[in-house]
Amino acid sequence: MTARILVVDDIPANVRLLEVRLLAEYFEVLTATNGPDAIETCENGKVDVVLLDVMMPDMDGFEVCRRLKSDPATSHIPVVMITALDQVSDRVRGLEAGADDFLTKPVNDLQLMTRVKSLVRLKTLTDELRLRASTTRNIGIEELLSRNFASADTTPKVLLIDERKSSIERVQKMLRSSADLDIATDPHAGFFQAAETPYECVMISTGFADFDPLRLCSQLRSLDRTRFVPIILLAEQGEEGRIVRGLELGINDYLMRPIDQHELTARLRTQVRRKRYNDQLRASVTQTIEMAVTDPLTGLHNRRYLDSHLQTLFDRAVARRRPLSVMITDLDRFKTVNDTHGHDGGDEVLREFARRLRKNVRGIDLACRFGGEEFVVVMPDTDGAVAEKVAERIRAEIAQMPFAVGQDGKTIEVTVSVGVSSVLKGVDSVAGLMKRADLALYEAKSAGRNRVVAKAA
Ligand SMILES: [Mg+2]
């Protein structure tokens, strides 16, 4: 794993110390000896993780962190605060400033590497999502995310998996006002509960009498539905080895008992915030993909999707020696609808047509708005004779019941012409298939409209 780490410390010897150790692990290292330089480097460059000294003259680490986290251009970069003292109050201040983690001087090698590696892994995921989201859509991803920040303060739904009553009660009390907490006392039941409920964080105690908590961590990481849920381990003093293994398995954070309430709430908040950020990115990517392949007026797939997918369906049918049919439908005299009822009326007709079309095709059929008033349905596993019947059913459904236009109960008669074609045995192509359907449609139009013509094999 290679990544670019920015080391920030006002004392050059400290910078050098960390630099050497990171270089030994093949990280790329950038350095800064004051806050403003660090911020500038983050804004300009490709920084994957920041290791940030707390005690610096002029602008201290808390302030640097706050500024990085409040700027949408740098807020996704993980920040590890390096505190001189093992002071809970410093840690809490750091986490409240938005830090993702902290280390205490003198920095323990193992902790340094596991923390940095775990944050780099997270950053890689975030970067990937940011890239996909921003390359597929022109709208700024930062703007999109900041628009959703209203939801940032809702109480997170959290699961605690722990079998010790006293420990459960303590955590319940600490999180009373900051989390909607569910409890599972049995680790197996807890696993299923985590899989079935959209938790924003799962906290796992290491104190099971008869169960390896890391096993649960690895199960949660391997299941699709829980792959991205943050896991916080509640460990005992002296369990460093287990924590390191946990971090390697993908737990996101840990707390040592006795648990400090401020630290617990701050760490939980950090994990939830990060999860929500990534969830929003993921949703925006999904939405972008959907937008790219969907016709906004009718909700059917668009032509771009048909163009990219028809070849796949065609190849699959040929390879499996299965039939495949296509119908092209075209609303008759649609121009008259637009001329008489305006484009809003025309849109209403198109939407209603799409609704009736969808009602009459199967889930595996691919229904698309090809453009204007032309629609295409691709029907896998369907021979010409069946396709012709489906087309006839659609034609009848359209002609049977007039379409409502506008608010005042006005209706109009709408009819449709349909051309059907099927994949020929022997030599055929997508272009040939579409051409024959188009030809059939043309014949249906010439023969007087409101009819189906099939060019079946
Ligand atoms: Mg310092």
Side-chain angles (χ1 to χ4, degrees):
M1 184 179 354
T2 150
R4 200 171 297 169
I5 317 295
L6 172 63
V7 177
V8 190
D9 198 305
D10 57 314
I11 299 169
N14 287 347
V15 172
R16 186 71 197 134
L17 204 66
L18 283 174
E19 188 180 11
V20 167
R21 289 151 75 180
L22 290 163
L23 287 172
E25 295 281 332
Y26 305 104
F27 287 109
E28 260 184 79
V29 181
L30 303 169
T31 62
T33 52
N34 63 65
D37 283 356
I39 291 168
E40 202 190 321
T41 305
C42 287
E43 283 168 353
N44 296 340
K46 295 186 166 73
V47 176
D48 292 311
V49 173
V50 183
L51 298 181
L52 181 60
D53 181 32
V54 168
M55 299 291 285
M56 292 189 292
D58 301 328
M59 193 191 289
D60 69 11
F62 298 125
E63 182 57 25
V64 176
C65 185
R66 227 180 333 268
R67 292 195 188 190
L68 287 174
K69 291 298 179 181
S70 61
D71 180 353
T74 54
S75 65
H76 63 290
I77 305 172
V79 175
V80 179
M81 303 282 261
I82 302 188
T83 59
L85 299 163
D86 194 5
Q87 286 257 322
V88 168
S89 63
D90 266 6
R91 299 187 192 177
V92 172
R93 266 190 81 192
L95 291 168
E96 277 168 355
D100 296 83
D101 211 325
F102 48 78
L103 294 164
T104 311
K105 285 183 189 173
V107 177
N108 168 308
D109 241 350
L110 205 54
Q111 273 183 13
L112 173 67
M113 290 314 157
T114 47
R115 284 308 164 99
V116 167
K117 282 177 185 168
S118 133
L119 288 173
V120 165
R121 206 161 40 217
L122 266 173
K123 169 77 164 33
T124 310
L125 172 72
T126 309
D127 282 352
E128 168 73 18
L129 290 169
R130 281 170 64 89
L131 185 70
R132 279 196 234 160
S134 62
T135 48
T136 42
R137 180 186 283 179
N138 285 331
I139 180 168
I141 186 69
E142 272 84 21
E143 192 215 322
L144 196 77
L145 288 167
S146 60
R147 228 187 288 154
N148 289 324
F149 265 10
S151 68
D153 287 332
T154 53
T155 311
K157 201 160 171 55
V158 177
L159 176 66
L160 169 65
I161 307 177
D162 192 347
E163 67 181 6
R164 283 179 308 178
K165 197 160 173 275
S166 59
S167 154
I168 293 170
E169 281 168 2
R170 261 197 307 278
V171 173
Q172 272 175 325
K173 211 168 134 199
M174 288 179 186
L175 295 181
R176 196 164 34 204
S177 60
S178 51
D180 175 5
L181 188 68
D182 285 351
I183 309 291
T185 51
D186 175 75
H188 304 285
F191 173 66
F192 288 111
Q193 199 171 330
E196 281 158 14
T197 318
Y199 290 109
E200 296 188 272
C201 184
V202 175
M203 295 190 294
I204 300 174
S205 168
T206 58
F208 289 101
D210 200 22
F211 184 81
D212 179 1
L214 293 188
R215 189 179 177 73
L216 190 54
C217 299
S218 106
Q219 284 174 329
L220 289 172
R221 278 293 165 262
S222 54
L223 191 71
D224 260 355
R225 269 170 297 170
T226 52
R227 180 159 297 154
F228 298 117
V229 71
I231 299 175
I232 298 180
L233 207 60
L234 306 181
E236 303 292 337
Q237 300 286 339
E239 287 193 304
E240 284 78 6
R242 180 175 261 170
I243 290 165
V244 169
R245 265 183 300 152
L247 288 165
E248 281 161 6
L249 283 172
I251 68 162
N252 302 74
D253 205 350
Y254 65 88
L255 281 109
M256 290 278 203
R257 294 181 198 271
I259 294 165
D260 174 81
Q261 176 172 12
H262 296 293
E263 187 177 346
L264 177 64
T265 51
R267 286 193 178 278
L268 179 62
R269 194 163 52 233
T270 300
Q271 291 305 326
V272 169
R273 192 177 49 210
R274 182 175 281 281
K275 178 179 192 303
R276 288 179 180 173
Y277 183 87
N278 280 339
D279 284 352
Q280 281 170 15
L281 280 175
R282 226 172 266 125
S284 133
V285 169
T286 310
Q287 196 191 353
T288 304
I289 291 168
E290 274 167 15
M291 274 172 59
V293 299
T294 306
D295 170 51
L297 181 68
T298 61
L300 296 177
H301 284 297
N302 61 15
R303 180 170 189 163
R304 191 192 315 183
Y305 185 77
L306 177 75
D307 287 345
S308 68
H309 203 54
L310 180 54
Q311 186 70 51
T312 310
L313 294 174
F314 179 90
D315 292 342
R316 193 182 299 165
V318 170
R320 295 178 185 172
R321 296 170 207 270
R322 300 292 303 163
L324 176 79
S325 296
V326 165
M327 75 170 95
I328 303 183
T329 72
D330 192 85
L331 293 181
D332 296 328
R333 303 190 196 284
F334 185 68
K335 195 177 171 300
T336 321
V337 178
N338 274 332
D339 289 348
T340 319
H341 302 277
H343 283 280
D344 288 347
D347 285 355
E348 277 182 87
V349 168
L350 289 171
R351 264 196 297 266
E352 173 61 14
F353 175 77
R355 197 188 63 78
R356 295 189 195 182
L357 184 70
R358 198 187 283 118
K359 207 175 90 183
N360 282 283
V361 300
R362 302 162 302 173
I364 64 157
D365 296 332
L366 171 60
C368 309
R369 183 171 177 209
F370 201 56
E373 65 272 25
E374 214 172 42
F375 294 78
V376 171
V377 181
V378 183
M379 294 167 282
D381 278 334
T382 307
D383 63 24
V386 173
E388 193 176 348
K389 279 187 196 135
V390 176
E392 176 51 33
R393 193 168 70 211
I394 290 167
R395 188 208 58 76
E397 165 110 16
I398 301 304
Q400 231 161 48
M401 212 204 322
F403 283 48
V405 194
Q407 305 296 329
D408 42 5
K410 237 186 293 172
T411 60
I412 50 169
E413 306 274 344
V414 176
T415 61
V416 66
S417 300
V418 190
V420 179
S421 71
S422 304
V423 172
L424 299 173
K425 290 198 170 59
V427 186
D428 200 359
S429 65
V430 166
L433 182 69
M434 290 299 284
K435 176 110 204 235
R436 291 196 302 280
D438 214 27
L439 222 59
L441 174 64
Y442 179 77
E443 280 179 29
K445 292 276 186 193
S446 314
R449 300 182 175 84
N450 189 23
R451 67 193 62 214
V452 174
V453 171
K455 294 267 173 197

